[in-house]
Amino acid sequence: MRLIVLGCSGSGPGPDSPASGYLVQAGDAHLVLDLGNGTLGALQRHLDPWELDAVVFSHLHPDHSADFASLVVHRRYHPRPPFDPASRPLPVYAPAEAPERFAAAYAASAAERAATDLTDVFAFQPLSDGAVAEVAGTVLRSAAVDHPCEAYALRVEQGGRSLVYSGDTGPCPGLVELARGADVLLCEATWPHDGGGAWDEPPPGVHLSGRQAGEHAAAAGVGRLLITHVPAWFDGEQLLAEAKAAFDGPVELVAPDVAYTV
């Protein structure tokens, strides 16, 4: 299994990276986990979008889903598609409101929004806490996490290897349970634990600090921790140091266009 980072900037694209998006190559399956601002362009450096087997969304905030509208255009209006996309709709695993949310993001007016239905080229499958799906021989599991909207951590299993992606979450036992014994935990670390006067402890129910990411990795007993989702206004090296202090296994700060073996 391989993880390729399409973008890793938290809360929106930064000067050096698109927002959140990750390509997972697992056996015969090609999955994208989230598709934030700028990630569809990055995807095309690594894989023809027509070769995707599924797109999976941890949640529907724009920094994790904005480029879906561009994927709609790609599948509907590409002048030379390798197959009829209406005959092979792309599976989309996402929170329940995804069809309406994505139709609204794609449509340019209220009238178009009322008539827009994306099921001509996509097959939407709602995620839920504890759900299990199979995509091209790869197992996908989801667990609800603690964020201001419906949000899930995701686990990809193939050939005895496992990758868990936190999505966006505050401290959450659900993430620990889903990540239990995983080979790799790709975990958000959005802010420093010490708020420099803004807070003594990070606000709950939103994001993890670097220290909290390390604590979740340690509690789950994962093999390796990859830190992601660092906003442009925070220092990734500081969050990396926090995570290393809390987790004694291998820890890295991910970078765009870099591939990691799971």
Side-chain angles (χ1 to χ4, degrees), residues 29-203:
H30 296 88
L31 314 175
V32 163
L33 310 181
D34 288 345
L35 203 59
N37 320 64
T39 54
L40 184 63
L43 172 64
Q44 293 171 74
R45 292 195 290 271
H46 302 281
L47 183 78
D48 184 337
W50 293 102
E51 296 179 20
L52 283 172
D53 294 294
V55 182
V56 189
F57 289 95
S58 65
H59 67 294
L60 302 180
H61 279 149
D63 61 315
H64 293 255
S65 65
D67 267 20
F68 187 79
S70 297
L71 184 61
V72 175
V73 174
H74 192 93
R75 290 187 70 82
R76 277 185 166 174
Y77 301 115
H78 195 292
R80 294 178 298 279
F83 55 85
D84 177 8
S87 69
R88 289 169 55 182
L90 180 66
V92 178
Y93 296 86
E97 293 185 14
E100 295 79 14
R101 167 74 174 82
F102 290 147
Y106 173 76
S109 67
E112 185 180 358
R113 200 158 51 244
T116 294
D117 180 356
L118 304 180
T119 59
D120 58 334
V121 291
F122 297 103
F124 290 96
Q125 307 290 335
L127 293 174
S128 61
D129 188 29
V132 182
E134 183 174 324
V135 180
T138 293
V139 175
L140 174 68
R141 303 181 188 273
S142 57
V145 292
D146 195 6
H147 200 53
C149 64
E150 183 183 1
Y152 298 95
L154 305 167
R155 182 173 179 131
V156 181
E157 300 172 341
Q158 204 282 329
R161 307 296 291 177
S162 54
L163 165 70
V164 172
Y165 169 46
S166 68
D168 280 7
T169 182
C172 177
L175 174 59
V176 173
E177 289 307 311
L178 188 72
R180 185 83 59 193
D183 295 292
V184 173
L185 172 59
L186 175 66
C187 191
E188 71 124 290
T190 301
W191 45 34
H193 202 79
D194 180 352
W199 60 76
D200 295 324
E201 290 282 330

Side-chain angles (χ1 to χ4, degrees), residues 4-6 23 25 41-48 257-258:
I4 299 174
V5 177
L6 307 177
L23 172 62
Q25 299 173 330
L43 172 64
Q44 293 171 74
R45 292 195 290 271
H46 302 281
L47 183 78
D48 184 337
D257 289 315
V258 175

